[in-house]
Amino acid sequence: MEAVVGVNDSEPERTIRTDEQGTRVSGPRVLVAGASIAGPALAHWLRRRGAEVTVVERAPELRPGGQAVDARGVAKEVIRRMGLDAAVRAACTDTAGAHTVDADGRVLETFRADDDGGDGFIADIEILRGDLSQVLYDDTRDGVEYIFGDRIAELAPVTDDTAAPALPSTDERAAARARWLSG
């Protein structure tokens, strides 16, 4: 049996599976390699759908820095659906626009961040890669297990159609069986 909870805008939708007696059944275990952008974003959606997610990152902590990331079109909609619009906008750079000038410094063209609904030459959502990574981590860290300073060394098949990941440090937390692996 499944129950969908959180169907209003103030709470994210998630599915809770129960057995015939109404006892909660845990979701599939998923192991994700990498805690930069894609890993925590995937963990967000998997956790929202009831999966037990572990993210393994080779670096000892989140990696700061990186180039700016512009969110346009469907990316803005994904951020909104994740419930992260306010957090992403709070971490954005303060780029208001840009000018094209000639050799004498005369302005030839002006590009504003709000041109074309924020999807113009200058995006209204521009965030540094490290800041976006931090927003995604902050969003998922309470419901997702993160293991930093480690990596997946190998996967060994197990009889019940799952895989047991082996980490070089033999971290027992991630040695639990995972049905799905992403990385």
Side-chain angles (χ1 to χ4, degrees), residues 16 38-39 80 87 111 139 143 145-146 164 172 175:
I16 298 175
R80 186 192 68 74
F111 304 98
D139 173 62
E145 180 179 15
Y146 281 86
E172 293 180 18

Side-chain angles (χ1 to χ4, degrees), residues 54-79:
T54 300
V55 177
V56 178
E57 170 59 47
R58 182 183 296 247
E61 59 190 16
L62 286 179
R63 297 177 191 195
Q67 290 295 101
V69 176
D70 292 346
R72 292 184 170 88
V74 71
K76 290 171 30 177
E77 178 63 16
V78 170
I79 290 167

Side-chain angles (χ1 to χ4, degrees), residues 70 72 97-100 110-113 115-116 118-123:
D70 292 346
R72 292 184 170 88
H99 300 288
T100 303
T110 300
F111 304 98
R112 296 171 18 131
D115 288 347
D116 299 320
D119 289 342
F121 183 71
I122 305 295

Side-chain angles (χ1 to χ4, degrees), residues 1-182:
M1 295 174 20
E2 292 186 348
V4 177
V5 297
V7 293
N8 61 42
D9 288 338
S10 65
E11 182 180 323
E13 180 182 307
R14 63 185 193 282
T15 301
I16 298 175
R17 296 184 309 144
T18 59
D19 62 16
E20 293 175 6
Q21 288 77 35
T23 305
R24 185 178 176 137
V25 177
S26 64
R29 291 184 178 146
V30 181
L31 181 63
V32 177
S36 182
I37 305 296
L42 177 61
H44 168 94
W45 293 110
L46 290 170
R47 183 69 183 142
R48 188 180 273 192
R49 297 296 182 248
E52 295 177 39
V53 183
T54 300
V55 177
V56 178
E57 170 59 47
R58 182 183 296 247
E61 59 190 16
L62 286 179
R63 297 177 191 195
Q67 290 295 101
V69 176
D70 292 346
R72 292 184 170 88
V74 71
K76 290 171 30 177
E77 178 63 16
V78 170
I79 290 167
R80 186 192 68 74
R81 287 184 183 191
M82 291 176 82
L84 299 177
D85 192 56
V88 168
R89 287 182 183 276
C92 279
T93 64
D94 290 328
T95 304
H99 300 288
T100 303
V101 297
D102 64 14
D104 296 324
R106 287 184 296 239
V107 175
L108 301 174
E109 291 180 277
T110 300
F111 304 98
R112 296 171 18 131
D114 60 357
D115 288 347
D116 299 320
D119 289 342
F121 183 71
I122 305 295
D124 70 333
I125 297 180
E126 180 183 79
I127 183 171
L128 297 177
R129 190 216 56 83
D131 293 342
L132 180 56
S133 177
Q134 186 68 54
V135 167
L136 291 166
Y137 173 74
D138 290 345
D139 173 62
T140 57
R141 69 178 169 201
D142 290 336
V144 171
E145 180 179 15
Y146 281 86
I147 300 172
F148 288 96
D150 218 334
R151 64 185 176 85
I152 301 168
E154 67 179 85
L155 293 174
V158 182
T159 59
D160 63 353
D161 194 30
T162 63
L167 282 69
S169 68
T170 63
D171 189 320
E172 293 180 18
R173 295 175 298 171
R177 294 177 179 173
R179 184 168 299 277
W180 306 102
L181 171 69
S182 172

